[in-house]
């Protein structure tokens, strides 16, 4: 196992009826910004519950944070936070709202020019942010218990991430009943996003880390078992609860400590969203099967372990088992109505050099756990998925 530090102070408040605890969790004596997305919280009663839990507080609302939150929108909130001297930001929504709030919180205290720079320049570190908390309404990203934020800039068609302990939420309220109002598409997206988060931290090469491996496998199996139940019956509380906790555990850092991590699927997937506005999870369902194929040699041992322990694939030659395992993964994604080929999203071969050029322009030579998925291989991955 590799050396590691694990720091995760987020207070998770989990279960039905927990939104009312906001009254104890949100700091008093400071001005609060309540940030939300396109309005789902007004339809499913979450907004009313939040407001009921926060009577008499000095509160400003900022709505309209889009899926794949936009820098252009978030900068408007940054102005308000500065002008109104906001001391705490409460995100009420999905991963996009929370990621947006993390950016707003960091950008409001950023003193070194355009905050976009801390997304483009990995050497710039965010050390300060306005304190924030969340009421999560969509199990998917794990943003509720990590320091990641992904922001899209429309003017340059870029989608970039930053990570900082300073933007870890003080608390996140996870009430599984929020799942009841999710459209089918968002449930499917959530299951696949969480699944691929686990794969990015698991499907690499062995470093003798049985705890991390078995935690990872348990999350994958849980998503395989509970995902279809949630899709079939949105009001199945237990299935919703298990799905929600699985999504959090998939990306709160725990399974990724001491092991190599890949993240090539996400890195390429973000370009598909940046150029073609494809939902985040769908981009992952396209890219991951291609990476499994192109990197089947360097990922061989973990591919076989994953196939055997998660899908029960034990028969055949090594290559047959690997192909069967990749097929199982594709079938799982497609069973949620998520196509895994670019053609299903009307994207043709002409897009591949555009993506490759972007990596070349950024000076990137290789990505993945060994940094050896080259630009040529990125093209190969996408070509396989045409
Ligand atoms: O905007 P509203 O009206 O709230 O509607 C949203 C949005 O249209 C809706 N929704 C959310 N909760 C709902 C609901 N509709 C009905 N009932 C509810 N309870 O769902 C739509 C999608 O919401 P969004 O927040 O965009 O989805 P998600 O949570 O999947 O977040 C995706 C974003 O997270 C980033 C992605 O790149 C993408 O920008 N990621 C963040 C990560 C992180 N912070 O660690 C990791 C991920 O890999 C990912 O990259
Ligand atoms: Zn993701």
């Amino acid at each position: 196992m590799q050396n590691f530090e694990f720091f995760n102070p987020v207070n998770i408040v989990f279960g039905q009826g927990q939104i009312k605890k906001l009254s104890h969790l949100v700091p008093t004596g400071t001005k609060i910004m309540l940030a939300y997305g396109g309005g789902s919280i007004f339809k499913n009663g979450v907004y009313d519950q939040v407001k009921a839990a926060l009577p008499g507080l000095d509160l400003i609302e900022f709505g309209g944070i889009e899926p794949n939150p936009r820098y252009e929108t978030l900068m408007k909130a940054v102005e308000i936070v500065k002008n109104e001297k906001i001391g705490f930001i409460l995100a009420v929504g999905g991963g996009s709202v929370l990621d947006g709030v993390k950016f707003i919180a960091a950008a409001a205290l950023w003193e070194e020019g355009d905050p976009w720079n801390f997304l483009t320049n990995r050497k710039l570190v965010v050390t300060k942010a306005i304190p924030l908390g969340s009421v999560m309404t969509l199990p998917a990203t794990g943003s509720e218990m990590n320091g990641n934020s992904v922001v899209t800039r429309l003017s340059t068609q870029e989608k970039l991430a930053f990570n900082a302990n300073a933007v870890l939420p003080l608390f996140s309220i996870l009430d599984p009943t929020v799942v009841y109002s999710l459209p089918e598409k968002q449930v499917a997206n959530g299951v696949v996003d969480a699944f691929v988060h686990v794969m990015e931290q698991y499907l690499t090469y062995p470093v003798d880390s049985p705890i991390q491996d078995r935690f990872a496998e348990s999350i994958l199996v849980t998503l395989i078992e509970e995902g279809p139940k949630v899709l079939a019956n949105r009001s199945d509380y237990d299935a919703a609860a298990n799905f929600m906790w699985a999504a959090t555990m998939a990306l709160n850092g725990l399974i990724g400590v001491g092991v190599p991590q890949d993240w090539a699927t996400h890195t390429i997937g973000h370009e598909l969203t940046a150029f073609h506005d494809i939902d985040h999870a769908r981009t992952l369902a396209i890219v991951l099967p291609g990476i499994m194929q192109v990197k089947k040699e360097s990922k061989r041992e973990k591919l076989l372990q994953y196939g055997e322990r998660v899908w029960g694939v034990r028969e055949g030659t090594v290559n047959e088992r690997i192909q069967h395992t990749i097929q199982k993964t594709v079938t799982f994604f497609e069973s949620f109505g998520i196509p895994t080929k670019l053609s299903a999203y009307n994207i043709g071969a002409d897009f591949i050099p555009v993506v490759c050029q972007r990596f070349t322009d950024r000076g990137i030579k290789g990505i993945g756990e060994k940094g050896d998925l080259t630009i040529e291989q990125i093209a190969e991955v996408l070509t396989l998925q045409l």
Side-chain angles (χ1 to χ4, degrees):
M1 201 190 302
Q2 300 168 354
N3 294 356
F4 65 85
E5 280 188 29
F6 182 55
F7 173 77
N8 196 322
V10 181
N11 179 13
I12 294 290
V13 184
F14 191 97
Q16 186 158 17
Q18 299 285 46
I19 294 176
K20 57 176 175 297
K21 290 202 179 147
L22 271 176
S23 54
H24 309 294
L25 295 164
V26 167
T28 49
T30 188
K31 209 168 191 177
I32 292 162
M33 174 178 272
L34 190 170
Y36 56 88
S40 69
I41 63 164
F42 295 106
K43 293 185 205 132
N44 59 15
V46 170
Y47 175 83
D48 291 340
Q49 290 182 62
V50 168
K51 287 290 282 199
L54 299 173
L57 286 187
D58 195 357
L59 196 134
I60 287 183
E61 295 186 11
F62 184 85
I65 297 178
E66 318 76 1
N68 307 309
R70 294 177 189 161
Y71 164 85
E72 288 83 354
T73 304
L74 303 175
M75 287 306 283
K76 291 182 191 153
V78 171
E79 272 317 296
I80 299 172
V81 167
K82 286 182 179 170
N83 292 339
E84 299 289 336
K85 302 198 171 20
I86 298 288
F88 183 82
I89 314 180
L90 179 65
V92 184
S96 293
V97 172
L98 181 46
D99 281 13
V101 162
K102 289 174 179 176
F103 176 83
I104 296 164
L109 299 186
W110 185 251
E111 288 163 352
E112 297 167 55
D114 187 343
W116 184 249
N117 295 340
F118 64 71
L119 288 142
T120 54
N121 184 349
R122 294 249 147 202
K123 289 192 192 119
L124 295 177
V125 181
V126 170
T127 55
K128 287 185 292 184
I130 309 265
L132 59 105
S134 83
V135 176
M136 208 54 178
T137 65
L138 202 174
T141 59
S143 190
E144 62 274 17
M145 203 176 173
N146 69 40
N148 304 335
S149 162
V150 193
V151 177
T152 295
R153 188 165 189 166
L154 268 193
S155 60
T156 54
Q157 286 188 301
E158 284 176 290
K159 182 174 183 181
L160 297 168
F162 77 97
N163 171 283
N165 283 344
V167 297
L168 280 162
L170 293 188
F171 63 82
S172 284
I173 298 185
L174 307 182
D175 179 340
T177 64
V178 295
V179 167
Y180 299 174
S181 63
L182 280 180
E184 203 164 288
K185 177 177 149 176
Q186 297 305 339
V187 173
N189 284 353
V191 171
V192 170
D193 192 20
F195 194 93
V196 179
H197 292 159
V198 177
M199 295 295 272
E200 299 271 32
Q201 300 163 87
Y202 168 77
L203 195 72
T204 56
Y205 55 87
V207 291
D208 198 359
S209 53
I211 302 240
Q212 293 87 328
D213 281 8
R214 291 196 171 98
F215 278 162
E217 287 151 4
S218 72
I219 299 169
L220 296 174
V221 172
T222 302
L223 290 167
I224 291 165
E225 288 176 359
E226 304 295 319
K229 289 189 210 165
V230 178
L231 208 56
N233 177 10
R234 214 74 86 249
S235 334
D236 178 342
Y237 178 81
D238 292 327
N242 287 321
F243 167 38
M244 195 164 212
W245 189 225
T248 303
M249 291 301 292
L251 197 51
N252 66 1
L254 185 68
I255 64 168
V257 296
V259 297
Q261 302 193 17
D262 183 342
W263 298 106
T265 298
H266 272 71
T267 308
I268 301 169
H270 286 172
E271 297 306 324
L272 293 174
T273 304
F275 283 112
H276 289 284
D277 207 23
I278 302 175
D279 289 356
H280 171 64
R282 287 163 192 258
T283 69
L284 309 177
I286 298 167
V287 178
L288 180 66
I291 291 193
M292 291 165 101
Q293 203 60 261
V294 169
K295 284 294 180 199
K296 63 179 178 235
E297 281 313 319
S298 64
K299 290 181 183 291
R300 188 179 62 236
E301 283 160 283
K302 289 307 273 288
L303 264 170
L304 292 170
Q305 179 180 318
Y306 161 67
E308 181 174 341
R309 294 190 189 174
V310 175
W311 295 111
V313 176
R314 295 185 182 87
E315 307 289 324
T317 64
V318 165
N319 192 45
E320 281 164 358
R321 284 160 61 194
I322 288 175
Q323 292 312 321
H324 193 181
T325 299
I326 298 174
Q327 193 48 50
K328 284 272 189 192
T329 311
V330 168
T331 306
F332 176 63
F333 293 161
E334 293 189 340
S335 73
F336 283 89
I338 297 193
T340 57
K341 293 287 183 187
L342 286 162
S343 52
Y345 303 87
N346 297 320
I347 297 174
D350 50 340
F351 172 62
I352 296 173
V354 178
V355 173
C356 292
Q357 189 57 46
R358 188 146 252 191
F359 289 114
T360 309
D361 290 346
R362 293 198 188 122
I364 293 169
K365 299 215 163 29
I367 55 177
E369 66 272 18
K370 293 178 181 159
D372 66 352
L373 185 83
T374 60
I375 309 282
E376 293 73 30
Q377 285 181 324
I378 292 173
E380 216 181 304
V381 165
L382 294 173
T383 306
L384 280 174
Q385 299 308 106
L386 278 171

